[in-house]
Amino acid sequence: MKKPTVVVALGGNALLRRGEPLEADIQRKNIATAAKTIALIAQEYNVVLVHGNGPQVGLLALQNSAYTKVSPYPLDVLGAESQGMIGYMLIQELKNLMPSRNVTALLTQVQVDPKDPAFANPTKFIGPVYEEAEARTLAEEKHWVVKADGKFFRRVVPSPLPQRIVEGDAIETLIAQGHLIICTGGGGIPVTWDGQSLTGIEAVIDKDMSAAYLAKQIKADALLILTDADAVYLDWGKPTQRPLRITSPDELAGVKFDAGSMGPKVEASCEFVKATGGMVGIGSLEDGLAILKGEAGTNIVATRTVNA
C-alpha cells in the first residue's frame, strides 16, 4: 500500500535549544535525537523534512561581519550555507539509523514578492539571544533591528510570505522514488522572479509558512510542526492556560497567538487545512508519531468532531 506523505517542520529547538552555545557538537547531539523521531515517522509515511535555521544563519552573519576585508555576504547566500550545513548533519544521522533508505538534501529556492510588507516590518528572529543593553549596542553598531524575544532580545530580519517552491517538481520526483527529502531549509533561499531570472533577496522566510506552502504544492496528506511546546495552548502563560487537543480553522479564527512563536504556526496550519482538507499536527519532537495518530499534541482538521 502506498504510504501517505507528511511534511515535517522541524523547529530550531530540535537543532539548538534556547541558551545553548552555537557549537557544532551540540547541534550534532540534538540532531541525533531528532533523527530518531523522524526515522520512526518514516516507517509509516513518506517524509519531506523542513528545518529551521534562525540560530545558524544568525551565527553565519556574525562570523561574516567579523572579517572586514570583504563585504558581508547577503542573507540569501547565508541561508544557502545553512541549508548545506544542517542538511549534511541531518543526512548523516538519518542514514546511520536507516542505512538502506535514500536520504537526500535539496538546496531549495523559494520565490517571494519584493514588495511584501514584511520588508518594512522585520519580525523573523535570527542569531543568539542577548541582554537588552548588549542588543541595543549591537543594533547601533551593526545597523540591526532588534526586538524582545521572551526576556531576551534578538536580531530580527524581514520574513516575506512564500509564493512558489522553485524546486517543487524535483521534490515530487524524489518522493515518487522513495527518498526521504530534506528541503526548503530555513524556509528556503529567498529569491525574486522578474519573468526572466531569479535573484536572491535579503530575508529569512518563516519555515512553518514555507512548510505549509510546500505541503499544499506537493499535495501532502499531512503537515506536522514539531516545536518546543507540547501542544497549542489557549491563554498561554496565564493561570487559565489549557491545551487544544483537536480543533479546526473556524474555531481558531480570531484567536490571537504570539506573533513571534505560535502565531505563524497556527496561521500556516489553518491555510493548509483550508486549502487541502488535510490534517495538521503541532507538538513536541518526542511525540512526533503520536501526534500524527491523534494521541498527543494538537490536531487541526477541517471539521472537528471531538471536543478539544
Side-chain angles (χ1 to χ4, degrees):
M1 188 175 88
K2 181 182 176 183
K3 290 182 179 179
T5 296
V6 60
V7 172
V8 179
L10 194 60
N13 65 295
L15 310 174
L16 197 72
R17 292 175 174 83
R18 183 177 292 271
E20 286 184 329
L22 298 169
E23 298 286 349
D25 286 347
I26 291 174
Q27 293 181 71
R28 284 181 183 276
K29 181 180 178 181
N30 291 338
I31 284 173
T33 300
K36 293 176 183 177
T37 295
I38 302 304
L40 282 175
I41 295 170
Q43 293 177 9
E44 300 185 27
Y45 289 82
N46 292 316
V47 173
V48 181
L49 182 59
V50 176
H51 61 77
N53 74 341
Q56 293 78 14
V57 77
L59 174 62
L60 288 171
L62 287 169
Q63 293 172 333
N64 196 23
S65 65
Y67 186 72
T68 58
K69 292 186 179 180
V70 298
S71 299
Y73 283 22
L75 282 172
D76 59 302
V77 174
L78 299 182
E81 289 183 18
S82 72
Q83 282 192 8
M85 172 178 64
I86 298 168
Y88 156 66
M89 292 182 179
L90 284 166
I91 284 177
Q92 193 168 78
E93 294 300 335
L94 288 165
K95 286 292 288 184
N96 286 342
L97 292 171
M98 302 180 293
S100 62
R101 184 76 178 267
N102 287 321
V103 183
T104 302
L106 183 66
L107 206 63
T108 316
Q109 302 171 94
V110 175
Q111 182 183 334
V112 301
D113 182 353
K115 297 180 180 179
D116 191 303
F119 288 102
N121 180 31
T123 58
K124 177 64 177 175
F125 291 114
I126 67 169
V129 296
Y130 302 98
E131 297 291 343
E132 182 175 2
E134 184 180 9
R136 299 295 185 196
T137 299
L138 286 168
E140 186 172 346
E141 289 177 356
K142 298 180 180 295
H143 307 291
W144 289 353
V145 178
V146 297
K147 291 183 179 179
D149 182 13
K151 64 179 181 178
F152 297 102
F153 279 71
R154 291 175 76 189
R155 181 186 177 188
V156 290
V157 299
S159 184
L161 292 173
Q163 293 188 322
R164 177 172 67 103
I165 311 295
V166 177
E167 286 75 23
D169 288 347
I171 293 168
E172 292 192 67
T173 298
L174 289 167
I175 294 171
Q177 294 178 355
H179 289 237
L180 192 163
I181 308 152
I182 303 159
C183 63
T184 324
I189 304 163
V191 297
T192 62
W193 170 252
D194 63 5
Q196 294 184 322
S197 59
L198 294 165
T199 305
I201 192 167
E202 283 268 298
V204 175
I205 305 167
D206 182 82
K207 70 103 178 35
D208 296 314
M209 289 292 188
S210 283
Y213 192 95
L214 173 63
K216 287 188 291 185
Q217 186 167 320
I218 67 173
K219 300 178 177 62
D221 299 284
L223 170 65
L224 177 62
I225 298 177
L226 300 176
T227 183
D228 54 0
D230 63 358
V232 177
Y233 281 76
L234 295 177
D235 297 339
W236 174 253
K238 300 177 182 179
T240 54
Q241 76 175 35
R242 57 200 185 279
L244 288 169
R245 291 306 174 195
I246 185 164
T247 185
S248 69
D250 286 344
E251 291 182 341
L252 292 170
V255 180
K256 290 187 177 181
F257 297 94
D258 186 354
S261 57
M262 192 57 73
K265 294 173 175 55
V266 171
E267 182 181 351
S269 299
C270 290
E271 287 185 8
F272 171 75
V273 172
K274 288 188 288 188
T276 68
M279 184 275 288
V280 177
I282 302 177
S284 64
L285 172 66
E286 296 79 9
D287 295 332
L289 189 56
I291 296 168
L292 287 170
K293 293 180 177 181
E295 299 169 355
T298 297
N299 282 182
I300 303 174
V301 296
T303 304
R304 188 172 75 88
T305 56
V306 180
N307 290 330

